[in-house]
Amino acid sequence: MTKFTVNDRPVQYRMDPDTPLLWALRDASNLTGAKYGCGTGDCGACTVEVDGEAVRSCQISIAEAEGRFVTTIEALSPDRSNPVQQAWIASNLPQCGFCQPGMIMAASILLRKTSNPSDAEINAAITNICRCGTYPRIRDAVKLAGRIMRGEELVSGAPAPGIAPADAARAVPSLRVP
């Protein structure tokens, strides 16, 4: 049994220890924000935070996650008030939207480290592939999120999601507190 923390909840997976973290999150925990894109760690659609770092969840096994803290996009904010989510919505950034959860996770991790990143820092931290090619808008949204974080700019709030995290957890056995 593999044990670690997902979105501030202790979890135990009775799965093969070599199972990629992505599949444990999606299949066992019903946390479907991280997407399967390439399976080789190149596209970044599966990006999650592991102990404060952006990690391609298709490239780390649940055994490698043992004892660690994993955060998925579902936990950034229950009401979409995270500055990165606000900036993405205010910028009307997503087109197809497939890469957005991974981009948002990479951006939020970057902005926790530096709230005023340069274009070069953004390019280095967010190596995710966007099929729609919205890279200039992504850089602009990251900079907007930084300004929001620094209190230099306000944007109108995004609508809250249709389900509370506690309600979602009740529907998913692996997210229940042991």
Side-chain angles (χ1 to χ4, degrees), residues 4-177:
F4 49 96
T5 302
V6 176
N7 298 341
D8 294 325
R9 296 174 183 264
V11 296
Q12 301 175 16
Y13 291 109
R14 290 186 179 133
M15 303 171 85
D16 182 326
D18 291 331
T19 300
L21 176 60
L22 174 64
W23 298 123
L25 294 172
R26 289 184 61 81
D27 296 345
S29 293
N30 199 32
L31 295 169
T32 58
K35 307 294 186 218
Y36 177 78
C38 64
T40 61
D42 294 317
C43 75
C46 66
T47 300
V48 298
E49 179 179 345
V50 178
D51 293 339
E53 298 298 323
V55 172
R56 308 292 167 94
S57 63
C58 72
Q59 295 297 293
I60 179 175
S61 69
I62 59 173
E64 293 171 286
E66 179 87 34
R68 299 173 82 181
F69 292 86
V70 176
T71 304
T72 68
I73 191 160
E74 288 88 350
L76 277 187
S77 68
D79 60 357
R80 298 183 183 146
S81 61
N82 180 280
V84 179
Q85 291 170 310
Q86 291 292 312
W88 247 246
I89 293 165
S91 301
N92 198 25
L93 182 62
Q95 287 185 357
C96 82
F98 191 82
C99 68
Q100 299 308 302
M103 294 271 190
I104 289 170
M105 290 304 296
S108 68
I109 294 163
L110 167 65
L111 289 168
R112 253 187 268 121
K113 295 175 181 180
T114 177
S115 67
N116 193 13
S118 66
D119 284 346
E121 290 171 313
I122 294 168
N123 293 343
I126 305 174
T127 58
N128 307 44
I129 296 171
C130 174
R131 296 172 180 178
C132 302
T134 62
Y135 300 108
R137 290 171 39 206
I138 290 166
R139 279 190 295 278
D140 291 345
V142 170
K143 290 177 183 180
L144 172 59
R147 292 192 302 275
I148 294 168
M149 288 176 67
R150 296 189 305 272
E152 296 172 3
E153 193 162 337
L154 294 174
V155 296
S156 61
I163 187 167
D167 293 336
R170 279 193 289 278
V172 180
S174 66
L175 291 178
R176 292 187 191 132
V177 177

